[in-house]
Amino acid sequence: MPADRTGPRHPVPRQRRRQLYNRPSSDGGRRLSCLLMKTGLVAANYPAQIPASDLAWEAHVRQSANIGYHPVGTCRMGGENAVVDGTLKLRGIDGLRVVDASVMPVIVSGNTNAETIMIAERAAEFILRDKRGY
């Protein structure tokens, strides 16, 4: 690695990454190890001793993983009993829309950024349509 390298350093030291990837286990274990390193989960919640089996890795992930900063569903939309209608209007309060990730009924499998942008763009369309009266 060049001395003049710029940018953030990987949170898991190179030697430790090699140990994780090359540990004797199944292909599934190696894929899980790579996934953990890419997400940074290993660096943030690194076990004191490297788990020896896929079951041990799974137990570690279940114990130390969290949802991060992507809560959704607190004002979910859809259906008659939902807080928000299909045009993102808050039921029971005129002139108020909820335009963020909280309207998603369930969390998506990835980052919520793109979906939240789509919700905001769709809300802009709804607002313009209501203002123009069509």
Side-chain angles (χ1 to χ4, degrees):
M1 189 176 299
D4 62 344
R5 179 181 178 270
T6 60
R9 298 185 67 79
H10 196 283
V12 179
R14 178 176 287 170
Q15 182 61 31
R16 194 57 107 181
R17 291 193 309 257
R18 285 188 186 125
Q19 288 173 352
L20 285 171
Y21 182 76
N22 293 324
R23 69 184 174 82
S25 183
S26 67
D27 286 340
R30 280 189 283 282
R31 283 194 302 272
L32 176 60
S33 297
C34 289
L35 175 66
L36 290 170
M37 287 185 289
K38 286 178 184 175
T39 62
L41 189 63
V42 172
N45 299 303
Y46 198 75
Q49 185 174 7
I50 296 174
S53 70
D54 291 345
L55 287 175
W57 270 113
E58 182 180 346
H60 170 68
V61 170
R62 288 183 184 279
Q63 178 184 2
S64 59
N66 60 47
I67 64 165
Y69 299 103
H70 304 295
V72 302
T74 56
C75 290
R76 67 189 199 130
M77 65 177 173
E80 291 181 16
N81 295 327
V83 176
V84 179
D85 69 13
T87 60
L88 304 174
K89 290 180 180 177
L90 191 63
R91 295 182 196 269
I93 301 178
D94 292 335
L96 183 61
R97 293 182 197 258
V98 178
V99 185
D100 62 17
S102 66
V103 301
M104 294 182 205
V106 295
I107 192 165
V108 295
S109 61
N111 192 298
T112 58
N113 183 50
E115 291 80 359
T116 304
I117 291 170
M118 184 271 315
I119 290 167
E121 288 176 352
R122 195 74 172 121
E125 291 175 10
F126 294 145
I127 292 167
L128 288 173
R129 185 180 65 196
D130 287 355
K131 185 172 178 80
R132 292 177 182 155
Y134 57 85

